[in-house]
Amino acid sequence: MDFSLTEEQEMLVESVSRFIDNDYDFDGRQKNAASETGFSNELWRTFAELGWTAVPFSEADGGLGGGPVELMLMMQQFGRGLVIEPFLANIVLAGGVLRRLATTEQKSRWLQPLIAGELQAALGFAEPQGRFNSADVATVAKRAGDGFVLNGRKNLVLNGGNAALIIIPARTSGKQKDRSGITLFAIDGGSAGITRKAYKTVDGHQAAEISLADVRVAPKAVLGDIGLGFDTLQSVMDEATLAVSAEAIGIIRAMHDKTVEYTKNRVQFGVPIGSFQALQHRLVDTLVACEQTYSLLLWTAMVCAANDPAASRAISALKYQVGSAGMHVAREAVQLHGGMGVTWELDIAHFFKRMTSIELLFGNTDYHLDRYVSLS
Amino acid sequence: MRILLNRRLPSLRLLRYGNCVWNQHNQAGELAMNVNLSADEMAFRDQVRKFFAEKYPADIRFKTDNGIELERDDYIRWQKILYAQGWAAINWPVEYGGTGWSAVQKYIFANEIAEANAPDMVPFGVKMVAPVIYTFGNEAQKQRFLPDILQSNAWWCQGYSEPGSGSDLASLKTRAERMHDHYLVNGTKTWTTLAHMADWIFCLVRTSSDVARRQEGISFLLIDMNTPGVSVKPIITIEGEREVNEVHFENVRVPFGNLIGEEGKGWTYGKVLLQHERTNLAGTARSIFQMRRLKARAMQALHGGEPLMNDRNFARKFAATEIELKALEYTDLRTLAAVAIGKAPGPESSILKIRGTEVSQAIAALCMEAAGYYALPWIPSQYSVGFPVAERIGLGSETRTSLRYFNNRKASIYGGSNEIQKNIISKHVLGL
Ligand SMILES: Cc1cc2nc3c(=O)[nH]c(=O)nc-3n(C[C@H](O)[C@H](O)[C@H](O)COP(=O)(O)OP(=O)(O)OC[C@H]3O[C@@H](n4cnc5c(N)ncnc54)[C@H](O)[C@@H]3O)c2cc1C
């Protein structure tokens, strides 16, 4: 068993970690979250300059050829830093689709600018009636001339308000919940017929509700084969689930550490509250939760890196663990901070909110436990 | 509900549930349980229900039903309606303007106000400081303060906690020095709920540090918020709203006449008040109401094309919470029965605080789950007056869900944290 990192991986971790420690302070994050775009474009360009936006893409595509392990390493750091820049939406979701399906021409049009940090993108992975089932696609694409006309609605489109490129899964055949018959379309965010209601999310990120009314697209907007988009969508969603799970581990580790520190310093009844055994045991439990979740993350990343067919099952196992153990750590961290834990001013509250979003994102704890059972 | 009032054998009688009639929670807003209400009690319930139907202003109800923040004026207008009816101070002795209701009547009222989704009286005046004033205050203080509290002419806030003194309240440092004709107050109170709306603050202050037990140097002081030297700074809480504040006192002159009781006895008075606070925290009637709303939402939300309420996972969690809530309701009723035979709510009431807050947090979490991805938009402006409800992002009025859920993390922290409640139980109930 070898859990050590390669030299390149070490360098990647160090590069992101140093940035989080030196250049990504909480106050700046809060200010950028409140701005109109909801993040810093300048920092996003820095992500590109440092090569992070290129990590998951092949060298042929101008990327660095990273895989699930590299993704996991970066996301943990982003979690620890409460990063709001849209890495998930651009690189994991939209980039994940483009990497798998785009033609050379489509790549040069969208993927290269995406990697360069010049294009904002999004993937409409959810519909209001579908809850966590990404095969539940009621958005319809009808042939019109040599192109298509799209009608439908997507909710929680991450980065959807900023995206110049929106990838929309739409039904070209089959029934509403069929896995076949889903086609992925690359659509210009400014196309006629698109209405976007952009909003901030509780965790300081941003998203949009997008409706499509007779949106006309050309044949070259189709990504991959007509009617066969679901498998790709699912792989991308799996990868995104791994990504947010890794982010969650960065979050709960930070929450745990900060809480241990806080209980060492906060004095009540003449002693640090960390000297109360009732609290000591609870912090031991949160440590155990962090360690167990981290172990499962390593296993999952390895299963994914080996292209194991059981990867989806491992990802569901991980997401279940992240949802249950992670929320436990998050609740305890807030509680043990007392009143300070529920203030806007302290990062603990914002870690808590991001953890809460992650519990829901790409399927909540129950959803993934069910999926784990069905894949077993 | 005679079983609860039997003076001779309350505990035995309580075990006899033969005459209880169980109801499904229904839309008409029935009590969760009919505990053999007498004809008089039934008539009382109908009277209360009629009052809420007729007198609870439609515009305020619209706000509470749709998650729109109430303004100070809304509270005051509503509280004055309660006052006009004689129901502003249901717990006070009749001589000061209380109702003289039995425990059962109070229980009925708590259920009906929850079913009407009407706000409770803001607690700091009527529920917290008033009992201290009428129990320990002098005649002049009673005459000066109680009528304004009763009529909602004065808004109060609670100044106990300090930055360095939360759970360990007795370590508080805000000083009141005795000058020739007044106290000079210096220090900082924090987490002061609604201080930005308050006219008065009741404080625990240190009048002496030259005492054997630090509790003995603490006094109970009433301070006019308009006194020079008092300043209020907002603290924004996790969900992004302003509810609590820091209150600073810089050379604030407070007349001697604003001291309650004796100097150095404030801790004893304040503890009475804390007990009072603790009995109001189970909130079962509100939780029952929230569960019904949750069910309605979970019927609306779809999961695999079916109502989420039909999803086995969700239904089981809903049921588990409902069962816990039922147990809590009966624990609450047992406390009520004890009060009815003249026992003060003891340390057992800590159980109500612990479980009450845990259940309300569990309900809030289920509401998040029912909202699904619509739990995530953070758009506080959607809940301001005048924002068209139909244009909100989400499935409807439920999208205040996340604000409530995050805000409600406070419930296990304030009013004596749940850890402190457990310390109380282990010490005073278990004798450990
Ligand atoms: C939203 C909100 C509104 C509030 N409103 C008011 C108000 O209007 N007026 C007012 O006076 N106060 C108010 N409070 C203050 C509240 O009562 C305190 O927050 C509470 O007493 C806890 O104190 P603390 O925040 O300093 O936490 P701390 O006392 O520092 O506690 C931190 C953690 O340590 C635990 N802990 C502390 N001591 C022990 C122990 N001996 N054993 C085991 N665990 C322990 C606590 O349970 C908590 O989990 C409010 C608080 C909040 C969050």
Side-chain angles (χ1 to χ4, degrees):
Chain A
M1 267 285 149
D2 183 5
F3 289 113
S4 61
L5 300 177
T6 65
E7 206 172 308
E8 286 82 13
Q9 289 167 344
E10 296 270 15
M11 278 167 57
L12 178 64
V13 172
E14 205 192 298
S15 144
V16 186
S17 161
R18 202 163 348 109
F19 169 82
I20 298 296
D21 289 335
N22 301 335
D23 302 308
Y24 202 82
D25 67 299
F26 177 65
D27 292 343
R29 183 248 192 211
Q30 293 298 78
K31 224 175 74 209
N32 292 330
S35 71
E36 197 175 328
T37 46
F39 65 92
S40 157
N41 255 313
E42 200 185 318
L43 288 176
W44 184 246
R45 277 194 297 276
T46 308
F47 280 33
E49 279 158 26
L50 292 168
W52 303 343
T53 53
V55 168
F57 303 103
S58 71
E59 283 164 42
D61 287 342
L64 299 175
V69 174
E70 285 74 16
L71 180 65
M72 159 191 99
L73 294 171
M74 295 173 80
M75 291 307 295
Q76 281 180 86
Q77 296 298 326
F78 290 160
R80 174 171 83 83
L82 271 177
V83 167
I84 47 171
E85 278 61 31
F87 189 87
L88 184 70
N90 279 323
I91 306 304
V92 183
L93 291 170
V97 171
L98 293 173
R99 163 161 70 87
R100 287 169 171 88
L101 293 183
T103 61
T104 315
E105 194 201 326
Q106 288 171 328
K107 279 179 181 167
S108 69
R109 183 161 167 212
W110 293 309
L111 189 57
Q112 267 76 53
L114 187 77
I115 294 175
E118 289 156 3
L119 174 78
Q120 289 296 321
L123 169 66
F125 59 86
E127 295 191 3
Q129 82 291 343
R131 206 162 159 85
F132 308 127
N133 178 7
S134 41
D136 190 335
V137 173
T139 298
V140 175
K142 279 218 173 77
R143 282 195 184 274
D146 60 349
F148 290 86
V149 176
L150 275 68
N151 279 287
R153 199 170 139 205
K154 302 287 175 182
N155 69 341
L156 198 74
V157 184
L158 303 173
N159 204 30
N162 295 310
L165 168 70
I166 306 172
I167 298 173
I168 296 287
R171 190 157 288 291
T172 38
S173 63
K175 291 201 289 294
Q176 191 177 311
K177 281 178 268 178
D178 286 353
R179 291 173 167 222
S180 66
I182 296 170
T183 306
L184 304 180
F185 294 90
I187 301 180
D188 186 325
S191 307
I194 290 194
T195 314
R196 301 193 253 192
K197 280 190 185 170
Y199 52 79
K200 312 279 190 219
T201 48
V202 292
D203 48 15
H205 289 241
Q206 33 85 29
E209 187 94 352
I210 296 185
S211 56
L212 304 100
D214 292 331
V215 177
R216 302 193 155 268
V217 297
K220 62 179 193 247
V222 174
L223 294 165
D225 294 327
I226 292 189
L228 300 181
F230 181 73
D231 286 350
T232 300
L233 187 60
Q234 190 165 41
S235 314
V236 170
M237 300 288 284
D238 270 355
E239 201 163 77
T241 307
L242 173 68
V244 292
S245 298
E247 183 186 347
I249 284 152
I251 289 171
I252 60 173
R253 175 73 70 176
M255 292 185 92
H256 168 78
D257 290 347
K258 281 166 190 281
T259 308
V260 170
E261 205 47 39
Y262 188 77
T263 59
K264 284 180 181 165
N265 292 316
R266 171 70 174 167
V267 172
Q268 289 290 275
F269 305 100
V271 290
I273 57 173
S275 67
F276 300 127
Q277 209 162 51
L279 300 192
Q280 289 171 352
H281 285 193
R282 286 167 67 170
L283 288 165
V284 172
D285 285 342
T286 59
L287 174 70
V288 171
C290 288
E291 294 298 340
Q292 285 284 85
T293 311
Y294 182 56
S295 299
L296 212 59
L297 173 68
L298 291 182
W299 171 66
T300 307
M302 284 175 180
V303 170
C304 292
N307 272 322
D308 193 314
S312 290
R313 184 167 160 267
I315 285 169
S316 277
L318 175 65
K319 186 63 170 37
Y320 163 76
Q321 171 76 12
V322 159
S324 48
M327 279 313 296
H328 170 74
V329 175
R331 279 189 300 264
E332 292 290 79
V334 167
Q335 181 68 22
L336 298 191
H337 273 79
M340 287 308 294
V342 293
T343 57
W344 186 268
E345 184 192 337
L346 208 66
D347 53 9
I348 285 293
H350 300 275
F351 279 115
F352 182 87
K353 290 190 282 185
R354 181 62 183 158
M355 183 60 232
T356 303
S357 298
I358 290 177
E359 198 273 328
L360 268 172
L361 272 182
F362 314 128
N364 68 357
T365 309
D366 277 348
Y367 174 85
H368 280 284
L369 193 58
D370 277 347
R371 196 175 84 138
Y372 179 86
V373 171
S374 70
L375 293 174
S376 293
Chain B
M1 206 159 66
R2 254 157 312 160
I3 50 164
L4 293 172
L5 294 173
N6 188 296
R7 278 171 180 279
R8 277 178 304 149
L9 289 170
S11 54
L12 274 183
R13 294 295 301 260
L14 264 173
L15 292 174
R16 261 191 43 191
Y17 286 135
N19 46 4
C20 298
V21 183
W22 294 87
N23 275 341
Q24 287 283 314
H25 300 159
N26 60 27
Q27 296 300 328
E30 289 295 317
L31 294 184
M33 185 192 80
N34 281 333
V35 197
N36 196 24
L37 294 182
S38 68
D40 284 352
E41 287 160 352
M42 223 107 88
F44 174 76
R45 185 196 59 192
D46 293 344
Q47 184 201 356
V48 174
R49 194 171 288 176
K50 187 156 168 274
F51 166 77
F52 282 113
E54 288 172 1
K55 297 287 172 60
Y56 179 34
D59 62 317
I60 300 182
R61 167 137 206 171
F62 179 82
K63 288 185 177 181
T64 53
D65 281 352
N66 289 286
I68 299 166
E69 192 79 44
L70 296 190
E71 284 160 45
R72 190 182 194 272
D73 286 349
D74 295 323
Y75 281 107
I76 290 176
R77 181 154 52 97
W78 170 230
Q79 294 186 175
K80 281 183 178 291
I81 294 171
L82 285 169
Y83 166 70
Q85 180 73 12
W87 294 352
I90 59 174
N91 287 311
W92 293 16
V94 180
E95 53 179 312
Y96 301 120
T99 55
W101 284 347
S102 69
V104 178
Q105 285 175 303
K106 290 175 188 172
Y107 168 80
I108 290 170
F109 184 80
N111 276 287
E112 293 301 324
I113 197 170
E115 289 304 329
N117 202 15
D120 286 315
M121 295 285 291
V122 176
F124 305 105
V126 74
K127 281 190 185 154
M128 295 188 179
V129 75
V132 174
I133 294 175
Y134 62 65
T135 313
F136 304 106
N138 59 35
E139 211 42 52
Q141 288 167 338
K142 289 180 197 173
Q143 277 174 23
R144 177 165 177 212
F145 294 112
L146 294 179
D148 277 346
I149 292 175
L150 195 63
Q151 296 166 35
S152 297
N153 294 335
W155 186 301
W156 286 78
C157 62
Q158 178 190 26
Y160 280 17
S161 307
E162 297 182 6
S165 309
S167 299
D168 180 18
L169 194 55
S171 69
L172 61 89
K173 291 197 178 69
T174 296
R175 260 180 323 131
E177 273 177 279
R178 193 172 250 285
M179 310 308 268
H180 71 283
D181 67 345
H182 63 269
Y183 288 109
L184 193 67
V185 178
N186 278 288
T188 300
K189 294 292 176 183
T190 192
W191 312 121
T192 323
T193 303
L194 300 181
H196 54 298
M197 298 186 181
D199 306 299
W200 284 84
I201 183 169
F202 58 95
C203 289
L204 289 180
V205 294
R206 188 160 297 288
T207 38
S208 165
S209 28
D210 186 25
V211 282
R213 288 176 67 241
R214 45 190 196 150
Q215 284 84 347
E216 287 162 16
I218 294 174
S219 302
F220 198 106
L221 207 54
L222 313 179
I223 302 176
D224 184 339
M225 294 291 283
N226 287 319
T227 322
V230 179
S231 58
V232 178
K233 252 179 51 189
I235 299 175
I236 305 300
T237 36
I238 176 166
E239 80 289 358
E241 297 188 339
R242 178 187 190 179
E243 178 178 288
V244 290
N245 304 272
E246 239 177 46
V247 182
H248 298 272
F249 300 93
E250 212 187 320
N251 293 325
V252 176
R253 292 156 155 262
V254 181
F256 289 141
N258 291 12
L259 176 78
I260 293 287
E262 287 173 49
E263 231 183 57
K265 290 270 171 65
W267 184 257
T268 324
Y269 309 152
K271 262 210 330 218
V272 168
L273 193 160
L274 277 183
Q275 285 287 355
H276 224 271
E277 189 181 351
R278 219 171 278 134
T279 58
N280 297 322
L281 283 173
T284 51
R286 298 273 173 201
S287 287
I288 290 167
F289 179 79
Q290 289 300 334
M291 283 294 275
R292 194 163 48 248
R293 282 198 128 188
L294 167 61
K295 195 177 209 168
R297 279 174 216 159
M299 291 302 296
Q300 213 184 42
L302 294 179
H303 180 54
E306 286 282 305
L308 180 64
M309 198 61 220
N310 297 351
D311 173 62
R312 206 169 155 70
N313 288 325
F314 188 83
R316 286 172 64 97
K317 281 190 278 192
F318 185 92
T321 306
E322 195 172 60
I323 291 165
E324 190 67 45
L325 178 55
K326 181 54 76 182
L328 182 68
E329 194 188 343
Y330 269 78
T331 306
D332 204 4
L333 284 171
R334 284 165 58 196
T335 315
L336 204 71
V339 173
I341 58 165
K343 289 193 196 164
E348 293 85 353
S349 64
S350 290
I351 295 173
L352 296 176
K353 162 66 169 51
I354 295 170
R355 266 297 185 257
T357 55
E358 285 172 354
V359 166
S360 81
Q361 289 176 341
I363 296 171
L366 286 176
C367 290
M368 290 289 277
E369 200 173 324
Y373 285 153
Y374 283 123
L376 299 183
W378 182 63
I379 317 172
S381 61
Q382 290 196 141
Y383 310 108
S384 53
V385 187
F387 192 100
V389 172
E391 279 172 35
R392 288 180 179 175
I393 304 253
L395 299 171
S397 64
E398 91 292 337
T399 45
R400 200 183 172 80
T401 306
S402 64
L403 299 179
R404 289 221 179 91
Y405 166 78
F406 290 122
N407 177 276
N408 201 34
R409 297 315 305 173
K410 72 187 177 189
S412 47
I413 295 168
Y414 70 19
S417 73
N418 285 9
E419 288 74 27
I420 294 302
Q421 306 297 341
K422 287 182 187 177
N423 287 349
I424 293 173
I425 295 177
S426 52
K427 191 168 168 195
H428 298 287
V429 178
L430 303 180
L432 295 172

